[in-house]
Amino acid sequence: MEDMRCSYGDFVRTGPNEISIFKPEAVRALDGVGTKCSKSAWYDIMQPRVSLATTRDKGLHHERRKIWERAFSPAALRDYESRLNHFAIQLQQVIRQSNGSSIDVSKLFYLYSFDVMSDLAFGEPLNMLISDENHFVVGLLQDGMDLLGPLSPVPWLVRIGLSIPYVASNFKTLLAWSAKKLQYRIQNAPLKRDVKVMSWLLEASRETGSSIKDYNWLRGDAFALIVAGSDTVASTLVSIFYHITEDPTQVSKLRAELENLNSPLDTHALGGMSHLNGVINEALRLHPALPSGGLRQTPPGGINIAGRFVPGNVVVSAPRYSLGRRESHDH
């Protein structure tokens, strides 16, 4: 994508009905509050499953978001802290056991993030940090991403492929695994809500008597929770540690700042640490978890973006990887 920008400029036609826009104004136009654009047909590939991340209906998204906000309220986040700390200690112990020898942190961070998200979602950690082995779902997810990436410009072909037996079998196995975990949670729901993200979603469906009606929402949200919460965190941790090992002075600055921390669970103090948050934000700028950005569709009447008119019903994107590395954006 970056080579295409260098060759053709800031507005590049990347498909019969697709334009990639390499202007910072495009981010607000496509994803900002009050945007007139909507999610593209790519987000329908999981149908009939639908989730907060994939629904194209803004009204339904608004209603579903209210439920998710309960699961990530300040009080709910405090409930999760002990679980997060448990896995952080496990990660620390594994690193210490290396006794200074080199270790594969890419693998280690994936083990960590999948353990965390499986526990928060379903209350069942995959115990990969302890076993030092990938759970089969990690391989299935990576196989699925290999399928979805190249076929993103033709989402209808993905839908057809998923409907054909033996095609994308690994990805279908991953979907079945998350559905099985969800079904177990539904059938073995505790009398009172426990410390799981899915507990909030299940409780909301029970309160309204819509568990059956919401089943495809629950299936979609369960899958999104595991995938979006684990893969993105792992890749970001890899990026951060790559850069701080390349520049050891950053390690010294981070240690000096963290020495003033009374507890690793003090989120208020962590939020005020300028260098720590600067490192995180810089890693996300250089290596965004979703390098291409989400695909959006322009409104029927078209829209002006960065001084250019884009016709209606055109698929557009603002590639974050390229935008974050433009020299004009450096500070």
Side-chain angles (χ1 to χ4, degrees), residues 10 40 56 69 102 106 114 129 157 170 195 243 251 263 289 310 312 315 329:
D10 292 331
S40 73
R56 300 174 68 194
E69 286 175 346
S102 61
S106 294
F114 272 90
L129 274 172
L157 187 56
N170 284 348
V195 187
H243 284 289
V251 179
S263 167
V310 180
V315 175
H329 297 175

Side-chain angles (χ1 to χ4, degrees), residues 237-251:
L237 285 172
V238 171
S239 300
I240 290 172
F241 275 72
Y242 167 77
H243 284 289
I244 65 176
T245 54
E246 286 288 295
D247 183 2
T249 63
Q250 300 301 321
V251 179

Side-chain angles (χ1 to χ4, degrees), residues 39 50-69 217 296:
K39 292 175 181 174
V50 63
S51 72
L52 180 71
T54 62
T55 180
R56 300 174 68 194
D57 186 308
K58 292 186 178 182
L60 291 176
H61 181 276
H62 178 73
E63 292 303 315
R64 194 68 182 172
R65 182 169 178 170
K66 292 179 182 178
I67 299 172
W68 275 83
E69 286 175 346
W217 276 99
R296 299 292 182 261

Side-chain angles (χ1 to χ4, degrees), residues 235-245 247-255 257-258 270 273-288:
S235 62
T236 300
L237 285 172
V238 171
S239 300
I240 290 172
F241 275 72
Y242 167 77
H243 284 289
I244 65 176
T245 54
D247 183 2
T249 63
Q250 300 301 321
V251 179
S252 300
K253 292 177 181 178
L254 287 169
R255 283 177 172 166
E257 192 171 54
L258 289 168
L270 289 169
M273 293 188 168
S274 59
H275 199 76
L276 172 65
N277 288 283
V279 167
I280 295 171
N281 290 331
E282 186 69 352
L284 288 170
R285 177 183 73 84
L286 293 170
H287 308 280

